[in-house]
Amino acid sequence: MTWFFICFLVLQSVFCNAEMQKENEIFRYSGSDGSMVKLLKLENKLKKNLEVIGKDLQDKLNMIKLYQTMLEHIPLTGLKKQEEYVANPLNAFALLRRLQQDWPKWLAYLGHQTKMEKMQKHLKLVPSEKDLQTAVEGLLRIESVYNLETSHMAKGLLLDTQYNSYLTTPDCIALAERLFNDTEYARSSHWYRTAMRLYRQPYDTLFSRVLGLKRKKLNRLYAQAIVNEPDNTKTPPADGIDPSWQELAEKMTKNAIRESSSDKITHMVDKYLAVDEKIYINLRAKYKPRPKAMERACRGLWPERKTDHLSCRYVYENSAYLKLAPMKLEQLSLEPVVQLYHDVLYDSEIKAIKNMSVPEAKAKRVELNINQRVADMTGYGMMEHNKLHVLNFALGQGADTKSCKARADRIATIVFYANDVAIGGATIFPKLRLLVQPRRGTALLWYNLNADGAADPLAKHAVCPVVLGSRWAITKCMEQEQRRPSKKLCLA
Ligand SMILES: *[C@@H]1O[C@H](CO)[C@@H](O)[C@H](O)[C@H]1NC(C)=O
Ligand SMILES: *[C@@H]1O[C@H](CO)[C@@H](O)[C@H](O)[C@H]1NC(C)=O
């Protein structure tokens, strides 16, 4: 009944309007066949418009689904799983990169849509370009110090262990681009090649449409890296390689790359990509520079050290307290003295050290206790107002010997390790062939001066880049002047 009534009203108004317009003679469509066909054509155009909009939305939906699939393996819940995920440097780097580079691109790609406010709000919190570049440096340091193979790293193979992690084309491009800008063309070309090999279905459309990584553009970048490679690291002709691709590359001067047509560049790049990665790996191994002492140490290339003449003992001297609770000491070196103390940090202290929001009074108490322990170890009275330096390294961070030169006024350094580092993060003394892997609750003490009071070159040390996990340590330097702990940060 109601429906009938509504229909009646609608029909009536349609007819009335038509009647009125006819009367006013502004009705352009007389109802003749010709003008109705025009209307039909107009509607067909609208249908086409709708189809295009629908296709665009469908494309966008497909891209969204593709990106969701790409990120499917990332744990949504469970703190333990999430911590495990970000402890892997490949995951941590890729996460940072996606937040910095990919997510803002979604805004541009999706254009004007409803329900975008929350996304816009969240995007204000993403890491900065500088944060990303720090992560890039870290991952590249892991690659070079531990002598990892680019293509293996991209597959999640780190130091002979296969992890459930991997890099994607945009991840590899970020690394390649940085190396290119740093004029490390040979390494850059390996990362570009790895990026291109990973540029494939189904994600290739996502890379190109959403992330702005057009294949032709990447081909040109890869070609540029190839022609910039210094001659001594350039991939020379080898068995099993079609010699024509080599000629092609040789003809491609830097300018030629800029001026060449995309087709020509693509042809050249395809030749390079057709070569088995194993051939690149073998050639690359031939041209790798001799590892530095620090790299040899971090790679575990030192022979087992003989420690027969050294000892483990309990320490009672230095303080009345130690007579009651002696510390377990391992003597690692006598000249200079390097000692490892076991179980010298309490769990409650470790928790307080890692927690930025612990109340100041409690932090102060922990600091005083640790200062007292340093005094017990060294026999030096400690200035109690002096701060401890808490250092947290992750994702390839470390320190080389350059940043911790022995200083004439620095008597000793103590490092308390607040956690185990799964892989990497060792404190090394290249001249002593000594490597100390951080163990939760242990402390490493060494003396920086020789008998004459001069800086002892044997005490030079460095920190290997952290590969898996993070490294929490507290460092304390003791300076000669007034036998006070140093206020200066010393990386250890
Ligand atoms: C590399 O250099 C280009 C051109 O100067 C610049 O646009 C780009 O941001 C740089 N990228 C990195 C990762 O340094
Ligand atoms: C950090 O310390 C605050 C204040 O003592 C405490 O409420 C919080 O649970 C601590 N966080 C962690 C992770 O231990």
Side-chain angles (χ1 to χ4, degrees):
M1 184 61 202
T2 331
W3 275 113
F4 178 76
F5 186 64
I6 290 173
C7 287
F8 174 73
L9 283 183
V10 170
L11 282 174
Q12 196 192 33
S13 79
V14 167
F15 283 124
C16 286
N17 281 343
E19 204 63 35
M20 257 166 58
Q21 281 166 338
K22 213 172 190 177
E23 262 175 26
N24 295 342
E25 289 188 309
I26 55 166
F27 185 54
R28 280 164 291 169
Y29 307 101
S30 63
S32 72
D33 290 353
S35 51
M36 285 312 281
V37 167
K38 273 189 196 160
L39 284 183
L40 192 67
K41 284 183 175 165
L42 176 64
E43 191 182 49
N44 281 343
K45 279 182 190 157
L46 285 167
K47 269 162 69 187
K48 263 260 154 27
N49 294 154
L50 198 59
E51 201 180 299
V52 171
I53 294 171
K55 197 178 166 309
D56 183 52
L57 288 175
Q58 186 64 55
D59 277 352
K60 285 182 173 158
L61 187 61
N62 288 344
M63 289 300 130
I64 290 174
K65 283 187 177 155
L66 212 50
Y67 202 57
Q68 284 171 327
T69 312
M70 200 173 110
L71 305 187
E72 214 166 43
H73 65 288
I74 300 168
L76 284 172
T77 55
L79 185 61
K80 202 168 153 43
K81 269 194 188 158
Q82 292 178 334
E83 281 175 349
E84 213 170 88
Y85 178 81
V86 296
N88 182 300
L90 302 171
N91 292 339
F93 162 72
L95 167 67
L96 242 142
R97 195 206 55 74
R98 284 193 305 270
L99 285 170
Q100 219 283 317
Q101 297 187 330
D102 294 2
W103 284 102
K105 285 181 185 153
W106 276 103
L107 265 197
Y109 174 71
L110 292 175
H112 185 73
Q113 307 282 337
T114 55
K115 314 244 180 207
M116 295 283 279
E117 303 79 14
K118 276 196 181 158
M119 199 172 178
Q120 279 162 341
K121 203 177 100 201
H122 288 143
L123 281 173
K124 293 207 176 89
L125 304 173
V126 299
S128 67
E129 165 72 17
K130 196 160 169 272
D131 294 329
L132 173 61
Q133 288 310 319
T134 305
V136 165
E137 284 162 24
L139 206 58
L140 293 175
R141 194 176 301 126
I142 290 175
E143 183 193 23
S144 62
V145 170
Y146 295 101
N147 193 27
L148 304 186
E149 202 47 64
T150 304
S151 56
H152 293 170
M153 248 174 120
K155 279 188 244 167
L157 188 65
L158 292 172
L159 295 153
D160 299 331
T161 306
Q162 178 64 53
Y163 293 91
N164 183 21
S165 58
Y166 54 86
L167 298 177
T168 58
T169 296
D171 298 328
C172 299
I173 295 289
L175 298 165
E177 190 182 307
R178 172 59 186 265
L179 287 165
F180 190 93
N181 284 10
D182 290 349
T183 70
E184 290 217 42
Y185 302 115
R187 285 181 72 192
S188 175
S189 98
H190 292 302
W191 278 109
Y192 273 123
R193 187 176 58 257
T194 305
M196 304 307 285
R197 290 202 197 282
L198 294 170
Y199 197 105
R200 53 179 185 233
Q201 287 181 338
Y203 300 122
D204 51 351
T205 48
L206 178 76
F207 298 152
S208 135
R209 286 188 211 165
V210 185
L211 306 182
L213 299 173
K214 305 272 183 244
R215 176 116 207 177
K216 282 180 181 166
K217 185 172 122 191
L218 300 187
N219 278 346
R220 206 170 281 269
L221 291 172
Y222 176 33
Q224 249 158 19
I226 293 170
V227 299
N228 276 291
E229 273 186 58
D231 288 337
N232 63 348
T233 62
K234 234 182 202 131
T235 318
D239 290 345
I241 301 181
D242 173 1
S244 67
W245 67 268
Q246 191 69 33
E247 281 166 36
L248 199 69
E250 271 155 19
K251 274 187 241 145
M252 290 281 180
T253 60
K254 288 167 205 181
N255 282 335
I257 291 290
R258 230 167 285 138
E259 287 154 17
S260 288
S261 69
S262 293
D263 287 346
K264 230 170 162 182
I265 301 274
T266 303
H267 183 62
M268 166 187 167
V269 165
D270 284 347
K271 296 270 185 197
Y272 272 76
L273 292 178
V275 177
D276 192 330
E277 190 60 28
K278 282 198 197 96
I279 292 177
Y280 288 110
I281 292 175
N282 291 340
L283 290 170
R284 197 180 175 188
K286 256 178 31 193
Y287 294 103
K288 281 209 168 152
R290 249 179 73 85
K292 295 178 218 138
M294 182 232 190
E295 291 169 345
R296 289 176 56 77
C298 296
R299 292 175 197 177
L301 296 178
W302 280 344
E304 266 313 291
R305 223 171 44 96
K306 290 198 182 68
T307 52
D308 313 341
H309 61 294
L310 302 175
S311 64
C312 279
R313 65 184 167 97
Y314 284 94
V315 196
Y316 301 93
E317 56 267 41
N318 289 348
S319 85
Y321 171 77
L322 285 186
K323 291 198 172 72
L324 296 173
M327 288 193 226
K328 201 167 131 204
L329 178 151
E330 207 178 320
Q331 189 83 30
L332 301 181
S333 159
L334 290 169
E335 273 178 55
V337 168
V338 181
Q339 300 174 328
L340 190 64
Y341 290 83
H342 293 268
D343 306 320
V344 285
L345 276 185
Y346 297 111
D347 280 357
S348 59
E349 291 170 337
I350 290 172
K351 269 197 189 134
I353 289 158
K354 289 183 182 177
N355 190 345
M356 302 295 271
S357 50
V358 75
E360 204 172 317
K362 186 172 178 191
K364 191 96 209 142
R365 221 164 39 240
V366 169
E367 208 173 304
L368 286 178
N369 285 341
I370 294 177
N371 272 336
Q372 183 54 50
R373 227 157 295 151
V374 173
D376 291 343
M377 288 174 190
T378 59
Y380 295 137
M382 284 289 114
M383 296 300 292
E384 289 181 347
H385 62 266
N386 233 286
K387 279 227 166 292
L388 299 164
H389 306 293
V390 177
L391 297 176
N392 180 215
F393 290 164
L395 217 173
Q397 283 174 306
D400 59 26
T401 46
K402 271 182 272 165
S403 55
C404 36
K405 280 203 182 84
R407 287 174 29 161
D409 55 350
R410 187 170 291 159
I411 302 175
T413 308
I414 298 187
V415 186
F416 288 87
Y417 300 112
N419 69 340
D420 295 355
V421 183
I423 303 181
T427 304
I428 52 164
F429 297 84
K431 295 263 162 64
L432 298 176
R433 298 211 151 201
L434 187 62
L435 179 147
V436 180
Q437 191 61 31
R439 289 278 166 257
R440 184 183 168 99
T442 60
L444 184 68
L445 161 70
W446 70 91
Y447 289 83
N448 296 304
L449 307 184
N450 60 23
D452 307 331
D456 189 342
L458 295 178
K460 257 170 79 167
H461 64 282
V463 180
C464 293
V466 173
V467 181
L468 208 65
S470 66
R471 179 189 194 267
W472 285 88
I474 306 159
T475 307
K476 192 122 198 150
C477 303
M478 273 151 291
E479 291 188 355
Q480 200 148 33
E481 171 204 356
Q482 297 166 323
R483 299 208 149 174
R484 277 185 197 179
S486 158
K487 280 199 191 102
K488 291 180 194 75
L489 193 76
C490 57
L491 297 166

